[in-house]
């Protein structure tokens, strides 16, 4: 029996490609940059499996071209880059990589919270520029973390991992999620539910861990930002389009909130220009899950899902 043919859209870990090669004919997996539309369209025409990264937009046109495709394994927990409803209609399996990146992403969330609250990047730049002339009472005064209110938007795996860490920092934890936990679960996790507007008014630090879908698009817009405290810090490590970047840039510029930390952007890799010139926002290049251990687990999970789907098994992480 001939081996299934798989295409990997971008550079991938050799260990994961080796695993894939044990069961499939593998093409791709070397490109440094995301493929162009034309390259992707031509690559999918005669393959059985597709291994994608979140930068690959897999829409109807691509799916229609892939007339042999059985499975798309996305190497990410988010899968808003894929038209899952259409894949389902066409019987194409779609998988993601949940669980393995929870802790690393929660760690990075805290790195951003601390960086913004304590002005770490600004202080680092200042020190490197040779501007440090000795201890000063009011040098780089930031925001207190201990005892503050943390507001978590989206209380899935990552939101909860952020909450666990928050207990160590002595924060009061509030969350908003379309699905409220039971009173027992809330008591166990030491968290309190608040409707979104109340959470935005109450929290000193607001961090987003929701998935992107039509109901979360621009969930944080000008009106919602206007509810936040003047000292508030907004963190987004989920998906860029959940925040209206233009409205956020305006609020940061006008000192309407204290600061923001972003790992994701509306038009990634483009960043709303105004943000680049602001000192009260810390900007990262979508590295929430970027530890070697976690990224390797994501790659291996994606490969395992792909091979399961190709061999007729139900993949572990099927999203439909
Ligand atoms: C994901 O997996 O969806 C993250 O954005 C990248 O790790």
């Amino acid at each position: 029996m001939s081996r299934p043919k798989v295409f990997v859209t971008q550079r991938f870990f050799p260990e994961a490609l080796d695993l894939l090669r044990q069961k499939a004919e593998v093409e791709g997996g070397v490109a440094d940059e995301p493929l162009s539309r034309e390259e992707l369209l031509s690559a999918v025409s005669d393959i059985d499996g597709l291994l994608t990264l979140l930068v690959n937009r897999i829409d109807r046109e691509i799916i229609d071209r892939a007339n042999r495709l059985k499975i798309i394994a996305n190497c990410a927990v988010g899968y808003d880059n894929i038209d899952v409803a259409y894949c389902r209609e066409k019987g194409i399996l779609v998988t993601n990589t949940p669980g393995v990146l929870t802790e690393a992403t929660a760690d990075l969330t805290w790195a951003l919270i601390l960086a913004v609250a304590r002005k770490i990047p600004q202080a680092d730049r200042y020190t490197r520029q040779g501007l440090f002339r000795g201890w000063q009472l009011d040098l780089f005064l930031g925001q207190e973390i201990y005892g503050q209110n943390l507001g978590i938007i989206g209380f899935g795996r990552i939101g909860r991992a952020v909450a666990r860490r928050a207990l160590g920092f002595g924060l009061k934890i509030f969350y908003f999620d379309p699905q409220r936990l039971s009173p027992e679960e809330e008591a166990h996790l030491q968290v309190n539910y608040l409707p979104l507007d109340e959470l935005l008014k109450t929290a000193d630090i607001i961090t987003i861990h929701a998935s992107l879908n039509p109901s979360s698009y621009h969930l944080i817009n000008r009106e919602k930002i206007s509810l936040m405290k003047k000292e508030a810090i907004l963190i987004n490590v989920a998906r860029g389009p959940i925040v209206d970047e233009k409205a956020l840039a305006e609020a940061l510029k006008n000192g309407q909130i204290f600061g923001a930390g972003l790992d994701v952007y509306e038009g990634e890799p483009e960043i709303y220009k105004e943000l680049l010139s602001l000192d009260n926002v810390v900007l990262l290049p979508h590295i929430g899950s970027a530890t070697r251990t976690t990224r390797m687990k994501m790659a291996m999970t994606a490969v395992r899902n792909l091979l399961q789907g190709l061999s007729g098994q139900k993949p572990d992480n099927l999203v439909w």
Side-chain angles (χ1 to χ4, degrees), residues 76-128:
V77 66
Y79 46 86
D80 48 278
N81 56 313
I82 301 174
D83 187 338
V84 175
Y86 194 52
C87 285
R88 184 179 184 155
E89 207 179 302
K90 303 277 265 185
I92 300 169
L93 305 176
V94 180
T95 63
N96 67 343
T97 63
V100 292
L101 49 82
T102 301
E103 305 302 335
T105 308
D107 287 345
L108 189 96
T109 304
W110 272 98
L112 265 179
I113 292 173
L114 293 165
V116 177
R118 301 299 301 272
K119 306 186 177 183
I120 304 289
Q122 298 93 316
D124 175 78
R125 289 193 288 269
Y126 171 92
T127 310
R128 285 168 197 273

Side-chain angles (χ1 to χ4, degrees), residues 54 74-80 97 101 105 158 237-239 263-264 286-290 294-295 298:
L54 57 87
N74 209 31
C75 185
V77 66
Y79 46 86
D80 48 278
T97 63
L101 49 82
T105 308
I158 298 172
V237 297
R239 283 294 181 267
D263 187 40
V264 290
H286 204 150
I287 53 167
S289 59
T294 291
R295 288 281 168 90
M298 290 167 67

Side-chain angles (χ1 to χ4, degrees), residues 191-266:
V191 298
N192 304 288
Y193 172 84
L194 280 180
L196 182 58
D197 286 5
E198 290 312 307
L199 179 140
L200 296 174
K201 288 180 201 164
T202 306
D204 303 291
I205 300 161
I206 298 154
T207 181
I208 303 173
H209 303 284
S211 52
L212 176 63
N213 54 50
S215 67
S216 62
Y217 176 80
H218 279 192
L219 184 67
I220 302 303
N221 55 19
R222 183 166 290 109
E223 181 216 324
K224 298 294 183 202
I225 292 171
S226 74
L227 300 175
M228 296 177 191
K229 296 181 181 181
K230 199 166 173 351
E231 309 74 39
I233 289 171
L234 178 69
I235 304 294
N236 188 9
V237 297
R239 283 294 181 267
I242 298 175
V243 176
D244 177 346
E245 253 169 38
K246 185 167 186 281
L248 175 64
E250 269 168 32
L252 288 166
K253 194 171 171 199
N254 302 333
Q256 214 179 309
I257 63 172
F258 178 80
L262 304 177
D263 187 40
V264 290
Y265 305 91
E266 275 201 77

